[in-house]
Amino acid sequence: MRYVYGLTAALLLGGSAATLATSVGAQTAQNEPGAIQGATPRPGAPMSFADLATRLQPAVVNISTKQSIQVNRNPTLPPGFEEFFRRFGGRTPQGGQGDGDGTTTQRGGSLGSGFIISPDGYVVTNNHVISPARNGATVETITVIMADRKEYEARLIGRDEASDLALLKINATNLPYVRFGDSTRTRVGDWVVAIGNPFGLGGTVTAGIVSALHRSIQGAGAYDRYIQTDASINTGNSGGPMFDINGNVIGINTALISPTGGNVGIGFAIPAEQASPVIDALRRGQRPQRGYIGVSLQPLDEDVASALGIPKDRGELIRGVTPGGAAARAGIQQGDVIVSVGGRAVNPDESLAYIVSRQPIGSRVPIELIRNGRRQTTTVVVAQRPTEEELARLNGIPDEEETQLRDQPTEQQSTGQRSARASLGVTVQTLTPEIARSLRITDTGTRGVVVASVDPSSDAAAKGLQTGDVIISVNQRPTRTPEEAAAAVEAVRREGKSTALLLVRRGNAPPLYLGVGIRRG
């Protein structure tokens, strides 16, 4: 289970499984067409799910891990207090038994669900189910427990962090298994059945309907478009299958939203169509392929869209372009708004990252964008998405610590500061090398004005602007001095707009666009 921004997320992504060739004679999938009796409900009325559950449960498994975790051996101190004593010069209290370095090994584990996709023992589950529970932990064994309680030690075939998928293998034959169906035909209102291992209870069947399609949730992957359901999904369901009324796996139960940590009828599953190529690639020993053009994005909320003069939720704003990447080579720039890719409109249901990820590597794709209020089209050659480690190196690691200005504004800059405060509610000063060092900004190419103070009653404060932030541009006009910043804001006022588009950088984090209201009078 993962917790994201206060929302309980029992992320249970699934994978796809094409029919795997085996040497097993006449064995068929548990959800073979026609194998499940009474699968079609009477019009307008639900049926019993008993036959469906009886047929499918043998192919659903429980998954557990045994992990070793290095922890401080001193039981008298809560976690983190050793650093407290060291930082303030105190002597750390001693006690307990353990190694000379003050640590000891504790045992832990994790519980989740999975399902068998071939009679020779390939098992799909979530990556987080079989991953270390926290920093310092090591996964020692993975155990797959069948519906008849028979246990097998599993071998990890492959994992994909971006989709939270993992493929396991157990040494067994003639196993019950299930196939994936066509999730593209799923409709809102269809019956669905979830089978999994909630709270470690063992095989549990729940039923509900498809509540919505193409859902995106905060903290989830950039490429996910979830199936929403009211079928009960709880901690431990991670990795378990979602079946349609005919017994086809149409998704992998993956998340829930809950203020309490338990099911409240809002659960999510990854569609089978998205997981299928990932699992296929892992089984071949390859890295899953996803299209990539080398941009960082942010959605068009109401304020940013107003500043740009375009409708909200129509396209996505480019907040950064990777130097030398596919987008850069195609001429895409920071501040562009991409509205379609290959003729498919970019919107909350079809994000830019999702559409691009589905494009074949090396294909030439037309991209329509808006730049300075004008539409234009360019062609991008789609590249392969780098690994998570490569992306971290390309994008840099954000500086999470808040920074404060230590230099005071000079008299020469005061006029520009007064103008900026009158319009935006902030005072600014030029970013000098000395100030950049004090703010620990390592990118020597950063140019802009530094926020010296923010009026607490201003919209800028409400949007999170704070002392030490660097304003790089206002409405796409560079702001290298307070005078340029004041002139850019005044130009926005003369155009009759009530919102200015600020490109803001905090520390070494990537820049972010903010739509900030302008004061009148």
Side-chain angles (χ1 to χ4, degrees):
M1 176 76 76
R2 297 196 295 199
Y3 296 86
V4 182
Y5 298 104
L7 304 181
T8 306
L11 286 159
L12 329 165
L13 282 175
S16 81
T19 303
L20 304 178
T22 69
S23 58
V24 179
Q27 187 176 356
T28 60
Q30 299 300 108
N31 51 357
E32 189 73 26
I36 301 172
Q37 300 300 317
T40 304
R42 297 186 307 275
M47 60 174 282
S48 169
F49 298 107
D51 291 338
L52 195 69
T54 299
R55 183 74 180 178
L56 299 176
Q57 272 190 295
V60 182
V61 300
N62 300 336
I63 297 175
S64 65
T65 68
K66 290 184 179 179
Q67 305 186 18
S68 60
I69 305 172
Q70 297 296 318
V71 297
N72 190 285
R73 65 181 174 85
N74 192 330
T76 64
L77 291 178
F81 267 60
E82 299 81 15
E83 177 62 22
F84 174 87
F85 279 92
R86 285 194 293 269
R87 181 172 296 180
F88 293 97
R91 182 178 179 181
T92 305
Q94 299 299 313
Q97 302 294 321
D99 301 329
D101 62 358
T103 63
T104 189
T105 300
Q106 291 185 354
R107 302 295 175 183
S110 63
L111 293 172
S113 305
F115 53 100
I116 304 170
I117 60 171
S118 69
D120 58 344
Y122 282 93
V123 178
V124 171
T125 189
N126 280 136
N127 179 55
H128 77 264
V129 168
I130 50 86
S131 294
R134 68 183 193 189
N135 291 337
T138 301
V139 176
E140 297 177 341
T141 61
I142 303 172
T143 301
V144 169
I145 307 170
M146 308 291 290
D148 60 4
R149 300 189 184 280
K150 186 177 293 185
E151 297 186 4
Y152 296 92
E153 185 169 335
R155 175 167 53 96
L156 177 63
I157 298 299
R159 66 195 335 153
D160 179 51
E161 292 184 14
S163 62
D164 192 24
L165 283 173
L167 182 65
L168 309 177
K169 179 70 168 63
I170 59 176
N171 292 324
T173 57
N174 298 325
L175 295 173
Y177 69 101
V178 291
R179 292 182 177 138
F180 279 83
D182 184 1
S183 61
T184 63
R185 302 180 66 179
T186 301
R187 301 184 303 162
V188 173
D190 283 347
W191 281 104
V192 289
V193 174
I195 304 179
N197 181 28
F199 300 108
L201 293 172
T204 299
V205 180
T206 59
I209 64 168
V210 173
S211 303
L213 297 171
H214 305 160
R215 287 290 198 220
S216 61
I217 58 176
Q218 194 173 33
Y223 312 107
D224 297 330
R225 299 196 306 164
Y226 291 105
I227 299 171
Q228 183 180 328
T229 180
D230 62 355
S232 291
I233 296 174
N234 290 287
T235 302
N237 276 112
S238 295
M242 170 186 282
F243 296 100
D244 65 16
I245 202 66
N246 295 312
N248 301 306
V249 179
I250 59 168
I252 297 87
N253 306 311
T254 192
L256 64 90
I257 291 179
S258 171
T260 63
N263 174 67
V264 294
I266 305 177
F268 302 92
I270 290 292
E273 61 174 301
Q274 292 180 228
S276 178
V278 174
I279 294 301
D280 287 345
L282 294 179
R283 187 169 183 269
R284 293 192 302 267
Q286 299 173 351
R287 180 159 63 95
Q289 290 199 341
R290 295 184 180 89
Y292 177 82
I293 60 173
V295 294
S296 56
L297 306 164
Q298 71 178 86
L300 283 176
D301 61 26
E302 187 172 355
D303 294 320
V304 172
S306 174
L308 290 169
I310 59 179
K312 68 173 184 176
D313 297 333
R314 302 285 181 87
E316 288 188 69
L317 180 60
I318 303 298
R319 60 184 288 197
V321 180
T322 302
R329 291 194 297 270
I332 294 174
Q333 301 175 8
Q334 183 182 64
D336 288 346
V337 176
I338 295 183
V339 294
S340 73
V341 177
R344 296 173 63 178
V346 176
N347 54 51
D349 284 344
E350 296 232 313
S351 69
L352 175 65
Y354 174 79
I355 298 174
V356 170
S357 72
R358 310 282 289 181
Q359 304 301 315
I361 309 303
S363 62
R364 296 175 60 85
V365 180
I367 289 182
E368 185 180 10
L369 58 88
I370 299 175
R371 179 182 299 164
N372 297 325
R374 297 180 179 178
R375 287 183 177 250
Q376 60 186 76
T377 301
T378 186
T379 300
V380 174
V381 179
V382 178
Q384 159 77 342
R385 184 180 189 271
T387 64
E388 301 301 318
E389 294 77 12
E390 291 169 340
L391 284 174
R393 289 194 298 270
L394 286 171
N395 297 330
I397 300 176
D399 182 3
E400 297 180 353
E401 297 184 22
E402 292 186 359
T403 55
Q404 296 290 329
L405 271 178
R406 291 196 274 274
D407 297 77
Q408 296 299 317
T410 65
E411 182 177 353
Q412 181 181 2
Q413 297 162 337
S414 61
T415 301
Q417 291 171 351
R418 284 197 298 268
S419 178
R421 174 173 288 279
S423 299
L424 293 177
V426 301
T427 56
V428 297
Q429 66 181 109
T430 301
L431 178 67
T432 64
E434 294 77 15
I435 294 176
R437 282 193 296 269
S438 72
L439 295 173
R440 289 176 289 180
I441 296 174
T442 57
D443 184 355
T444 57
T446 301
R447 299 288 184 271
V449 291
V450 181
V451 176
S453 65
V454 183
D455 184 342
S457 64
S458 66
D459 187 52
K463 297 296 169 53
L465 206 65
Q466 65 183 38
T467 301
D469 289 344
V470 178
I471 301 175
I472 298 172
S473 68
V474 174
N475 269 39
Q476 315 290 19
R477 292 178 56 172
T479 53
R480 291 158 294 193
T481 66
E483 290 76 17
E484 288 184 346
V489 173
E490 183 59 30
V492 176
R493 294 181 62 171
R494 287 197 302 269
E495 293 173 4
K497 295 181 178 179
S498 59
T499 306
L501 184 68
L502 275 58
L503 181 61
V504 180
R505 184 167 193 171
R506 179 169 297 168
N508 293 307
L512 177 73
Y513 283 99
L514 292 176
V516 177
I518 297 176
R519 290 174 169 176
R520 295 293 176 181

